[in-house]
Amino acid sequence: MRLVTFQHNNSAEPGLLLHDSILPLKPAGFASILDIIEQGKLALDKIAALAKNPGAAIPLAGLKLLTPIARPPKLIFIGLNYRDHAEECGAKIPDVPTVFSKYNSSIIGPGDSIVLPRVSTQPDYEAELAIVIGKKGRYISKENWREYVFGYTNLHDVSARDVQMATTQWMMGKTFDTFAPIGPAIVTADELPNPNALKIELVLNGEVMQSSNTSEMVFHVPYLIEHLSQVMTLEPGDIISTGTPAGVGMAKKPARWLRPGDHTIVRIQGIPELENTVRAE
C-alpha cells in the first residue's frame, strides 16, 4: 500500500496511490496520513477494502503531491551509517549510532525546490531510507522491531558542509529550511519486508552519484529502533532517516556541491522516486 498526501480543493488530503490515480481517503473519514498511522491495522484494513472498488479515484496527472507527513512528532537522523561513506569522509566507523535531528521547517515535498542558503558555499546531497514509526514504544527489543514500523519513504538529507563542520554538533548545517525533502509516498511495511536489502541511489542531473544497498548499513533497522527507544519514546509518525552511502558531493575530486538549476532524484527499490529541483535563496 502506498499512501500519499495531495493537494485537493486548496487543502492537504490523504490518499491511496494507485497506478496512475489517487483514491481520496478523506471521504472515508481519514483526516491525514498521521491519522491513518495512529489508527493502525483497522485503518489499513478499511483502506484495503476501499481499494477493491476505487471508482472515486482521481487521475494522478495534474495533482500536486505533498510531503506525506508535514509535521512528524520527531525527525531523527543517523550519521555515518554506511561503512563506505564513513571511510570516504575519513571518519572512524562508529561503535554506536551517531544521532542528530532536524526541525520540521526543513521538510518539503516532491517537486518542491531545495533552496541553497546564502550563508553556505558547500551544499551537499544525501539519499536516505526513512523509517516511519507506527506504534508508540519505549525499550523496544530488536526482536520485536516489526511491531513498531508502519512503513518507509525516501528522504533527501541535504547538508551545508561548511556550516555542519564548523562545530562538533552537526544540526545547524543540516536543518536549514528545505533541507529535508520527504516522499512522495509512504510504502507500508508489508511491501518491504526486509528494509536492509534495498538498492539506493542519488541521481543528479541524470548522473548516478550514489549507488549502494541498504544491506551496507553499519547499524540495521532493528538495531536502530532498539537503540533509539532506549532514550526516547517512539511515537506514531516519527521519521527515522537511516544514513547515506558513499558518493556524496564533498568526497568527489573536485567536490561537487549542489548548484542552482540542479535536479535530484532519490531512488530506493520499492518506493516511488523523490524528485526535487534546486534554486538559490
Side-chain angles (χ1 to χ4, degrees):
M1 196 174 292
R2 299 178 175 191
L3 298 170
V4 298
T5 298
F6 67 104
Q7 190 168 310
H8 187 229
N9 295 329
N10 296 316
S11 66
E13 295 188 15
L16 176 65
L17 181 63
L18 304 173
H19 176 64
D20 56 1
S21 62
I22 293 176
L23 178 63
L25 298 176
K26 185 177 179 180
F30 298 112
S32 65
I33 299 297
L34 188 56
D35 183 26
I36 294 168
I37 294 171
E38 289 172 342
Q39 293 188 42
K41 186 177 184 300
L42 288 176
L44 293 179
D45 288 347
K46 184 175 181 179
I47 293 168
L50 292 170
K52 293 178 180 178
N53 185 24
I58 303 171
L60 180 60
L63 290 179
K64 167 65 174 171
L65 294 180
L66 308 174
T67 192
I69 306 174
R71 302 191 67 81
K74 290 187 283 297
L75 187 54
I76 306 164
F77 288 74
I78 309 299
L80 302 174
N81 198 29
Y82 284 72
R83 187 173 301 273
D84 54 1
H85 174 54
E87 291 171 346
E88 75 177 352
C89 294
K92 177 181 177 291
I93 305 300
D95 297 320
V96 295
T98 300
V99 181
F100 62 95
S101 64
K102 296 193 181 193
Y103 294 118
N104 287 336
S105 53
S106 66
I107 295 174
I108 58 173
D112 292 339
S113 290
I114 298 164
V115 180
L116 305 181
R118 59 176 180 256
V119 296
S120 171
T121 60
Q122 298 179 349
D124 205 348
Y125 53 82
E126 297 185 46
E128 306 201 2
L129 172 71
I131 308 162
V132 181
I133 294 297
K135 178 182 172 182
K136 185 176 182 178
R138 181 86 191 277
Y139 296 113
I140 301 165
S141 72
K142 57 180 180 289
E143 289 76 21
N144 295 328
W145 69 277
R146 292 186 188 277
E147 295 180 28
Y148 296 87
V149 175
F150 180 84
Y152 305 93
T153 191
N154 301 299
L155 194 147
H156 189 165
D157 176 19
V158 185
S159 307
R161 299 297 189 191
D162 42 358
V163 179
Q164 177 189 351
M165 301 305 179
T167 75
T168 58
Q169 302 295 319
W170 294 356
M171 194 182 71
M172 286 294 285
K174 292 282 194 173
T175 197
F176 280 95
D177 290 355
T178 76
F179 270 26
I182 302 174
I186 296 173
V187 177
T188 51
D190 59 297
E191 289 200 21
L192 298 173
N194 185 359
N196 286 112
L198 305 175
K199 187 173 183 180
I200 179 171
E201 292 184 333
L202 187 290
V203 181
L204 179 62
N205 299 334
E207 180 182 357
V208 176
M209 308 297 278
Q210 294 178 279
S211 184
S212 187
N213 192 286
T214 58
S215 62
E216 299 301 317
M217 288 182 191
V218 178
F219 305 105
H220 286 197
V221 170
Y223 180 85
L224 291 175
I225 290 173
E226 180 181 76
H227 179 76
L228 292 169
S229 70
Q230 292 176 11
V231 174
M232 65 193 82
T233 299
L234 297 180
E235 303 170 286
D238 282 352
I239 294 175
I240 304 168
S241 200
T242 58
T244 201
V248 297
M250 73 174 181
K252 303 292 184 185
K253 299 188 183 304
R256 174 49 165 103
W257 308 121
L258 290 173
R259 299 189 288 254
D262 281 344
H263 176 265
T264 67
I265 301 173
V266 175
R267 181 182 291 159
I268 300 176
Q269 181 181 345
I271 304 175
E273 296 179 353
L274 172 63
E275 298 189 43
N276 293 93
T277 56
V278 180
R279 68 173 177 86
E281 187 172 25

